[in-house]
Amino acid sequence: MFSKACQYGIKAVIYIWVQSLSGARVGAKEIAVHVDAPEPFTAKILQDLVRKKIVGSQKGPNGGFYVDKSHEKFTLKDLVSAIDGDGLFSGCSLGLRECSEENPCPLHSEIKKVRNHVLEMLTKKTLRELALEVNNGETVLSRLIG
Amino acid sequence: MFSKACQYGIKAVIYIWVQSLSGARVGAKEIAVHVDAPEPFTAKILQDLVRKKIVGSQKGPNGGFYVDKSHEKFTLKDLVSAIDGDGLFSGCSLGLRECSEENPCPLHSEIKKVRNHVLEMLTKKTLRELALEVNNGETVLSRLIG
DNA sequence: CAATTTAAGGACTTTTTTATCCTTTATTGT
DNA sequence: ACAATAAAGGATAAAAAAGTCCTTAAATTG
Ligand code: FES
Ligand code: FES
C-alpha cells in the first residue's frame, strides 16, 4: 500500500510533530532511532519533505527538523502524495491508460469505493492530531522504543 | 496498490476465463496482446499461476492456458495473494514488526477498516464472474482492443 | 573569527521489480 | 517416427526502489 519511503516518512513526520508539541527540534539521527528506520534514507526523505514544506528545518547547533502553526493543516494525504505520488487515488488500478466510467476495468466500480474510503481515512485527521494520539500513548511509532 | 505483475496477472487470468467460457485455450502471445502487457513477462507470471493451480496449461499444438470447473472457486484474493503475497491484508501498514491491537500504530484503527473493505472487494466475486462481465461488455481488459 | 553542529546535496551501491531471450520438454497431428 | 507447436525453465538485462557515504553549506556558540 505504502512504499518503504512513505512508511518512514509518515512515522518521521509524526515524530517531529510529537517533539514540536513540546517545542523541541529533532535531528535526523534521533528521528531514525525513534521510528526504527535507516538514518541516511530517512534524512533523504525529510530533505524532500522540507522542500515540499510539509516540515521545516534549521541547520547548525540546536537545529533539526520541526513543525509549527504553518504546518498544522497537513494530513496524511498530503504526506503520502508528496512521497508516493497520487497513484493510490487516481489512475486505473489495473494499469489501463486512464480510469474511465464509460469503459471501466473489471475492478473499477469496487475500487472506486475503496479509494474513497482510503482518501477519507487519509484526510480525516491532521498529522498534528495523529501526533497527539502518540503523545497520549494511544498509538506508537515503533515496537523498540516506547 | 497492486504490482505490475499482479495487474498483468489479473487481466491475463480474466482473459483466460473469458476464452474458456467458449471452450478455447489461449497462448501467452494472444493473452499478452489482449491485456496490453509484455509477452515474456506475462508468460512468466502465468507459469507461476499454473504451479499455484489458479489456471491450467497444456503444451503442444492447440495447447495454451485454460480454466475449468476446478478453478471456479478462485477469487481475486487468491490471485493477488499468489502474486503479491498477503502484505496488503496482513502486517502493519507502517512496517512495525507486527500489527497489534494492544500497541497499534497511528494508522491501525483506520487501516483495519480499509483492509476489511479491500478484502471484501477481492472476495465478493469469483474470477469467473468477473469474466462474465467482460463477456457482457460491462467491463474491459484493455483500451486498445475491445 | 574559529570551531562545531546539523541539514543539504550529490555520487554511489545494493536489492527488488520488471522485462527479455534462449534452450528444453511435452504434446499433437500427420 | 517426425515435424510443428506451445509451455517450462533458466540465465540475463534494464529500470526502479532502497539504502549508504562523503562533501558542502548554513547556523550557532564562544
Ligand atoms: S478503469 Fe480501472 S479503476 Fe477505473
Ligand atoms: S499496528 Fe500498524 S496497522 Fe496494525
Side-chain angles (χ1 to χ4, degrees):
Chain A
M1 190 133 193
F2 305 117
S3 68
K4 287 275 182 190
C6 196
Q7 295 180 353
Y8 299 151
I10 291 171
K11 292 188 285 186
V13 172
I14 295 178
Y15 182 75
I16 293 168
W17 262 110
V18 169
Q19 295 307 308
S20 286
L21 289 174
S22 48
R25 284 179 190 143
V26 276
K29 182 166 291 181
E30 180 186 338
I31 295 170
V33 168
H34 282 82
V35 306
D36 189 25
E39 194 245 304
F41 193 30
T42 307
K44 273 277 171 272
I45 295 160
L46 288 171
Q47 217 180 102
D48 187 44
L49 292 176
V50 168
R51 273 191 297 261
K52 288 171 177 163
K53 318 275 192 192
I54 310 267
V55 297
S57 71
Q58 176 76 41
K59 290 182 181 180
N62 250 294
F65 299 91
Y66 65 91
V67 281
D68 58 30
K69 284 257 160 56
S70 77
H71 305 106
E72 273 185 0
K73 63 178 191 306
F74 292 117
T75 65
L76 279 169
K77 162 83 164 47
D78 301 303
L79 188 45
V80 170
S81 48
I83 300 177
D84 279 353
D86 49 13
L88 195 57
F89 327 114
S90 70
C92 173
S93 57
L94 290 188
L96 303 199
R97 270 217 180 60
E98 20 167 79
C99 175
S100 144
E101 209 67 50
E102 298 80 44
N103 260 38
C105 74
L107 301 201
H108 178 85
S109 86
E110 292 296 323
I111 274 281
K112 211 171 58 171
K113 294 180 217 160
V114 168
R115 270 207 298 235
N116 285 339
H117 193 168
V118 170
L119 215 51
E120 184 206 304
M121 146 182 124
L122 294 179
T123 49
K124 83 184 324 175
K125 284 175 187 164
T126 62
L127 294 165
R128 181 173 172 279
E129 286 165 335
L130 292 171
L132 288 172
E133 294 174 358
V134 172
N135 229 11
N136 285 345
E138 292 173 43
T139 61
V140 302
L141 293 175
S142 156
R143 298 244 176 277
L144 306 174
I145 296 172
Chain B
M1 192 136 196
F2 305 117
S3 69
K4 286 275 181 190
C6 196
Q7 294 179 354
Y8 299 151
I10 291 170
K11 291 188 286 186
V13 172
I14 295 178
Y15 183 75
I16 293 168
W17 261 110
V18 169
Q19 295 308 307
S20 286
L21 290 174
S22 49
R25 285 180 190 142
V26 277
K29 183 165 290 181
E30 180 186 337
I31 295 170
V33 168
H34 283 81
V35 306
D36 189 25
E39 194 246 304
F41 193 31
T42 306
K44 274 279 172 266
I45 296 160
L46 288 172
Q47 217 180 103
D48 187 46
L49 293 175
V50 168
R51 274 192 297 260
K52 290 172 176 160
K53 319 273 191 192
I54 309 266
V55 298
S57 70
Q58 177 75 38
K59 290 181 180 180
N62 249 296
F65 299 92
Y66 65 90
V67 281
D68 58 31
K69 284 257 159 57
S70 76
H71 304 106
E72 273 184 2
K73 64 177 190 306
F74 292 118
T75 63
L76 278 169
K77 161 81 163 45
D78 301 304
L79 187 46
V80 170
S81 48
I83 301 176
D84 278 352
D86 48 14
L88 194 56
F89 326 116
S90 69
C92 173
S93 58
L94 289 188
L96 302 200
R97 270 217 180 60
E98 19 164 81
C99 175
S100 144
E101 209 66 51
E102 298 80 43
N103 260 37
C105 74
L107 301 202
H108 178 85
S109 87
E110 291 297 321
I111 275 280
K112 211 171 61 171
K113 294 180 216 159
V114 168
R115 270 206 300 233
N116 285 339
H117 193 168
V118 170
L119 215 53
E120 185 207 304
M121 145 182 125
L122 295 179
T123 50
K124 83 184 319 176
K125 284 175 187 164
T126 63
L127 293 165
R128 181 174 172 279
E129 287 166 335
L130 292 171
L132 289 172
E133 294 175 356
V134 172
N135 228 11
N136 286 346
E138 292 173 43
T139 60
V140 302
L141 293 174
S142 154
R143 299 244 175 277
L144 305 174
I145 296 171

